[in-house]
Amino acid sequence: MRKMVAVVAVSLLGLAACSSTGGGSNPAVPGDAKPAASGLLAKAPVADAAAIVPGSTMEKIKQRGELLVGGSLDAPLLSQQNPVSGEVEGFDASMGKALAKYIIGEPKVKIVNSASETREALIGNGTVDVVFQTYTITPERAKQVAFAGPYYTSGLSIAVKKGTTGIAKPEDLNGKKVIAGANTPAIAAIKKLAPQAEIITFGSDPECMQALKQDRGVAYVQDETLLAANAQKDPTVQVIGNPFTEDPYGIGLKHGDEQFKKFVNDWLKKMQDAGVWQQAWKDSLGTVVKGEAPAPPAIGSVPGS
Amino acid sequence: MSVLLDHLPELWQGLLVTLQLTVASFVGAAVLGVLVTAMRVSPVPVLRALGTAYVETFQNLPLLVLLVLVFFGLPEIGIKGPPMATAIVVIAVYQAAYMAEALRSGVNSVSKGQAEAARALGLTFGQSLRLVILPQALRTVVQPLGNLTIQLIMSTALAGAISVVDLTEAAKRVNLQEAQPIAIFVGSGLAYAAIAAAVGYVTGRLERRLVIMR
């Protein structure tokens, strides 16, 4: 009994410490009210019966009645599980649901929580049908998987603590400690533009923010939308300048399945023509970025797509 | 395969960090483990209670939680260490709890008569522990200590969570660039297996040499 009490006391202590350190920078709530996700899907197109060719990947998915999507559960604004409803919300998540509706007729998806390390393997062995996970199209990756799209172009920006001087462009990061998300394209981008920078990585965005605030590094390089959301919540942090890279996000598909790739590209075109793509952007990323939805990138415009 | 050779410098650097983490936290854990065991078998009730509290605390918290908590939590009260030092200290403190339990089972396996004989000869508690009990206890727990060391090697892979670029983190970074997870992670997995096998071999040799025939 005494042992039990001790254990409980210690774990409570741990919990208290967690909440006090994480409290200020919790990423979970940019836009508590997630409006009109169902309205969005009501507008999403459904494929003609003729497009679902017998024996194709689309038909298999339709037979199964569920689209298996490789994605994140912890990416704010893109693909994040709502702790209250259990629904996964955000731009990537909406796109996945819309694709499921296009194939099956209903937005039935199962999101398989994949990591950057496992995406290629998960697509290759058929664990997932598609990947919607800020999956930047690169020539190296295109040797392992096929990319439909690009469906969105993002870019990396630099965030610093307010009052930091001497950092105006990526080259200024040389010789400094720079924080980046583990498994994000930021690592390669920093190495290219500021080879003398010391890169320190953390698994999640809130950890990176905490590290920035605790002066573990002078700057934090991350996707512009994420940084915009962070800066909006936390007035001690500011974003510097415009994005300095262009990262085209693709929809990861099995390598060599040209039929399915064309099918997904056709769907993407329809989504953009019908304005559903734009609506999905407005409901998610548009809640932190000012202005109208940007023009979607041209499909197949990137080497590897 | 070529992807491993192309990135050998990064992976090698990661391996070195993993080895540093392993050696440094093993030494720390061994020293702390002996101290905690001494506390747990000491005749002073307060020390015994402290030893028990230590073991129960650190055995019941996941290492990842401890790492993140110490790395991000302690700076809030003004204690901020570099990532590598934090990782070494936390892994040592965590692993010491397990080492202490293994050592205590060794102490318990030494027959009571040994302690009584030591006392009868006029040795103090410290002397009897140092000269009579521990030498015998350590010999019986070589194998479990070896297993714990292998577990410690695997635990170092969590240090990546607090920005230490060990072998696992280096492999992740290479994979991010090359997108060949199977070659890269099998390769780094083999490196871990090789270290573990080396520890296992040394443990086996030690055990055969030190075994006490009863």
Side-chain angles (χ1 to χ4, degrees):
Chain A
M1 188 59 219
R2 214 184 307 161
K3 208 185 270 181
M4 279 286 289
V5 172
V7 170
V8 170
V10 165
S11 37
L12 283 179
L13 219 92
L15 278 179
C18 276
S19 56
S20 69
T21 54
S25 63
N26 196 331
V29 281
D32 290 312
K34 282 279 154 63
S38 50
L40 172 81
L41 290 168
K43 281 200 289 173
V46 178
D48 306 326
I52 313 278
V53 185
S56 65
T57 312
M58 307 71 102
E59 203 216 4
K60 265 183 251 158
I61 296 165
K62 190 164 187 175
Q63 292 282 325
R64 196 196 300 132
E66 192 175 51
L67 179 69
L68 301 173
V69 179
S72 307
L73 300 176
D74 60 353
L77 302 173
L78 291 163
S79 187
Q80 185 178 43
Q81 189 160 33
N82 184 325
V84 181
S85 66
E87 280 291 299
V88 182
E89 297 164 343
F91 185 66
D92 279 356
S94 301
M95 292 295 280
K97 285 179 194 164
L99 179 58
K101 188 187 169 200
Y102 187 63
I103 300 173
I104 304 163
E106 291 173 80
K108 284 181 91 171
V109 293
K110 183 175 166 201
I111 295 195
V112 178
N113 191 6
S114 53
S116 314
E117 300 91 311
T118 54
R119 291 185 294 209
E120 290 82 19
L122 289 176
I123 294 174
N125 67 20
T127 309
V128 300
D129 301 314
V130 295
V131 165
F132 280 97
Q133 195 186 30
T134 59
Y135 203 177
T136 307
I137 303 172
T138 68
E140 286 87 3
R141 286 174 177 167
K143 286 180 204 148
Q144 315 278 323
V145 298
F147 283 109
Y151 65 96
Y152 185 66
T153 305
S154 182
L156 295 167
S157 279
I158 305 169
V160 294
K161 269 169 103 166
K162 228 167 227 167
T164 307
T165 52
I167 299 175
K169 54 186 187 301
E171 288 77 11
D172 295 337
L173 298 174
N174 262 325
K176 301 197 167 92
K177 280 192 180 178
V178 183
I179 300 160
N183 301 314
T184 63
I187 301 172
I190 301 168
K191 267 190 193 151
K192 196 168 139 206
L193 292 168
Q196 271 96 52
E198 187 191 336
I199 304 169
I200 54 178
T201 56
F202 298 96
S204 70
D205 174 59
E207 284 175 334
C208 290
M209 282 296 286
Q210 189 74 10
L212 179 66
K213 287 197 279 179
Q214 289 176 350
D215 298 318
R216 298 276 184 189
V218 290
Y220 171 26
V221 176
Q222 178 61 282
D223 189 277
E224 50 160 334
T225 45
L226 262 181
L227 289 185
N230 285 339
Q232 200 178 49
K233 274 177 293 166
D234 191 333
T236 64
V237 169
Q238 71 180 108
V239 183
I240 291 177
N242 290 319
F244 62 90
T245 62
E246 279 198 357
D247 296 324
Y249 292 164
I251 304 164
L253 309 169
K254 193 169 233 166
H255 197 250
D257 193 346
E258 286 301 322
Q259 192 185 31
F260 190 41
K261 178 171 164 179
K262 181 169 181 311
F263 177 86
V264 174
N265 276 334
D266 289 347
W267 161 77
L268 190 56
K269 182 84 181 36
K270 282 184 195 166
M271 287 280 285
Q272 292 167 354
D273 293 347
V276 184
W277 184 92
Q278 288 79 354
Q279 188 61 46
W281 184 89
K282 252 187 221 163
D283 289 350
S284 51
L285 301 167
T287 56
V288 294
V289 179
K290 289 186 192 71
E292 281 301 300
I299 293 164
S301 61
V302 181
S305 65
Chain B
M1 215 44 227
S2 70
V3 67
L4 290 176
L5 297 177
D6 291 348
H7 292 276
L8 211 52
E10 292 111 295
L11 294 171
W12 177 247
Q13 180 57 35
L15 182 64
L16 288 182
V17 171
T18 291
L19 288 173
Q20 282 170 10
L21 277 173
T22 304
V23 172
S25 44
F26 172 79
V27 173
V31 172
L32 259 176
V34 171
L35 282 178
V36 173
T37 307
M39 282 164 77
R40 290 204 77 175
V41 299
S42 79
V44 186
V46 180
L47 288 182
R48 278 209 302 273
L50 278 176
T52 310
Y54 182 95
V55 169
E56 292 301 331
T57 306
F58 291 108
Q59 271 194 342
N60 290 310
L61 279 174
L63 178 55
L64 185 58
V65 171
L66 271 180
L67 276 169
V68 173
L69 207 56
V70 168
F71 188 77
F72 288 112
L74 290 191
E76 300 286 309
I77 53 167
I79 307 167
K80 190 173 123 185
M84 185 74 181
T86 308
I88 290 171
V89 169
V90 171
I91 295 174
V93 163
Y94 172 82
Q95 205 70 25
Y98 291 86
M99 294 246 181
E101 282 300 87
L103 283 171
R104 192 167 65 96
S105 80
V107 169
N108 289 340
S109 77
V110 178
S111 76
K112 216 173 173 192
Q114 297 275 336
E116 285 165 357
R119 188 104 35 92
L121 286 173
L123 300 185
T124 63
F125 171 74
Q127 283 172 324
S128 70
L129 199 62
R130 196 156 46 84
L131 302 171
V132 180
I133 312 284
L134 274 182
Q136 300 183 63
L138 276 171
R139 286 168 167 230
T140 54
V141 293
V142 169
Q143 200 61 55
L145 286 186
N147 288 344
L148 286 174
T149 309
I150 292 173
Q151 188 199 323
L152 183 146
I153 298 166
M154 305 308 161
S155 310
T156 61
L158 291 175
I162 56 168
S163 81
V164 174
V165 188
D166 70 324
L167 181 55
T168 302
E169 191 61 32
K172 283 184 182 171
R173 286 189 183 184
V174 170
N175 179 53
L176 187 69
Q177 198 182 333
E178 299 290 345
Q180 295 194 35
I182 295 175
I184 293 164
F185 288 107
V186 168
S188 47
L190 287 176
Y192 279 107
I195 308 173
V199 170
Y201 176 76
V202 171
T203 315
R205 288 291 295 264
L206 273 179
E207 185 171 44
R208 275 192 293 283
R209 188 175 302 177
L210 296 176
V211 70
I212 310 167
M213 297 300 176
R214 287 211 174 96

